[in-house]
Amino acid sequence: MIRFKSVKKRYQEKLVLKRIDLDILSGEFLVLVGPSGSGKTTILKMINRLIEPSDGEIFINNQPIKLIDKRSLRLDMGYVLQQIALFPNMTVSENIELIPEMKKMPKADRVVLVTELLDKVGLHASEYATRYPRELSGGEQQRVGILRAIIGKPKVLLMDEPFSALDPISRKQLQDLILSLQREFEMTTVFVTHDTDEAIALADRIAVLHDGELVQLASPDEIMKNPASPFVATLFGGTKHD
């Protein structure tokens, strides 16, 4: 479990997170949703200590994360961004192997694992392993980015608007893919989006943020049926949900 206890974040005089109390359950798919500037990415980056709280404390399995070595913490987490940031001078296989190589996994084992994972996401290793990022479409690059994040079997997967730059077909395919992988690997997943349809489609629970405050934390069904405020009702109103 990841626990935020009375967490605040200030930049100069501006309070961008206002006393966040939040429990993220082990193995759940939690989506952080809200308008730009609501604090979604700040919360996400606090989990792997890219940003430190100004006040309060964050725990992983009851251990304060400030006491965990940053490198060890991040090696146990996957991180997927909208800007895929594959290394352009490295092949698909070399990009995916980065974390296992850092963890001293033998080369032969890395090759087997990369082959299995590429096949799992429809990028067959015989065709894609030796390609370079420039030879891939945006959706293919994001698949590689996801594999790079999960190959180390992280306990926690962080995703910051990873599909927002993709066309609708690729986006739907990758939403389905990440749900499948998340369930298979039982990763605690924290996913940032401003798209309420995406939040509804993916989440076990949705954390709705507004002006640095957590205004509702509930299942998609509960939020649709019983929004906690007019803001939440407006945010999730007028969208089409199947």
Side-chain angles (χ1 to χ4, degrees), residues 82-151:
Q82 177 183 339
Q83 299 80 19
I84 303 154
L86 299 178
F87 292 99
N89 60 329
M90 299 171 69
T91 65
V92 164
S93 181
E94 289 167 343
N95 267 282
I96 298 170
E97 286 181 43
L98 279 172
I99 297 299
E101 186 174 2
M102 292 172 69
K103 290 184 171 182
K104 310 298 185 186
M105 181 185 289
K107 174 67 175 178
D109 293 344
R110 299 199 308 263
V111 170
V112 170
L113 191 53
V114 167
T115 299
E116 290 175 355
L117 288 173
L118 282 170
D119 287 347
K120 190 183 293 287
V121 301
L123 302 177
H124 300 297
S126 58
E127 184 179 352
Y128 283 91
T130 58
R131 289 190 185 183
Y132 287 88
R134 64 180 177 274
E135 300 173 291
L136 307 178
S137 69
E140 289 168 345
Q141 288 184 41
Q142 198 59 290
R143 279 176 162 80
V144 174
I146 290 168
L147 293 185
R148 185 174 65 182
I150 69 168
I151 189 170

Side-chain angles (χ1 to χ4, degrees), residues 11 20 27 39 60 83 99-100 114 120 123 154 175 180 219 225 229:
Y11 291 107
I20 298 295
I60 292 183
Q83 299 80 19
I99 297 299
V114 167
K120 190 183 293 287
L123 302 177
Q175 288 170 353
S180 173
S219 69
K225 289 179 178 176
S229 68

Side-chain angles (χ1 to χ4, degrees), residues 43-208:
I43 288 176
L44 191 80
K45 288 183 175 181
M46 284 181 169
I47 296 172
N48 69 355
R49 296 188 63 195
L50 285 172
I51 294 175
E52 302 283 1
S54 302
D55 297 292
E57 197 150 19
I58 302 167
F59 302 84
I60 292 183
N61 298 326
N62 296 317
Q63 182 178 9
I65 67 166
K66 67 184 180 184
L67 301 182
I68 304 173
D69 173 72
K70 283 185 181 180
R71 185 175 186 276
S72 299
L73 181 76
R74 291 169 185 167
L75 282 175
D76 279 337
M77 294 184 181
Y79 195 24
V80 184
L81 301 165
Q82 177 183 339
Q83 299 80 19
I84 303 154
L86 299 178
F87 292 99
N89 60 329
M90 299 171 69
T91 65
V92 164
S93 181
E94 289 167 343
N95 267 282
I96 298 170
E97 286 181 43
L98 279 172
I99 297 299
E101 186 174 2
M102 292 172 69
K103 290 184 171 182
K104 310 298 185 186
M105 181 185 289
K107 174 67 175 178
D109 293 344
R110 299 199 308 263
V111 170
V112 170
L113 191 53
V114 167
T115 299
E116 290 175 355
L117 288 173
L118 282 170
D119 287 347
K120 190 183 293 287
V121 301
L123 302 177
H124 300 297
S126 58
E127 184 179 352
Y128 283 91
T130 58
R131 289 190 185 183
Y132 287 88
R134 64 180 177 274
E135 300 173 291
L136 307 178
S137 69
E140 289 168 345
Q141 288 184 41
Q142 198 59 290
R143 279 176 162 80
V144 174
I146 290 168
L147 293 185
R148 185 174 65 182
I150 69 168
I151 189 170
K153 298 185 178 178
K155 299 177 181 70
V156 177
L157 179 63
L158 308 176
M159 308 189 79
D160 194 356
E161 302 203 47
F163 309 144
S164 59
L166 301 177
D167 64 86
I169 293 174
S170 295
R171 187 169 188 160
K172 178 64 166 64
Q173 289 173 341
L174 285 174
Q175 288 170 353
D176 293 343
L177 172 65
I178 200 60
L179 275 179
S180 173
L181 293 172
Q182 189 262 345
R183 289 167 181 156
E184 179 177 350
F185 291 101
E186 299 180 335
M187 297 173 289
T188 303
T189 300
V190 185
F191 187 105
V192 166
T193 185
H194 61 270
D195 185 323
T196 55
D197 282 320
E198 186 163 67
I200 292 286
L202 293 175
D204 294 318
R205 292 190 302 162
I206 297 172
V208 185

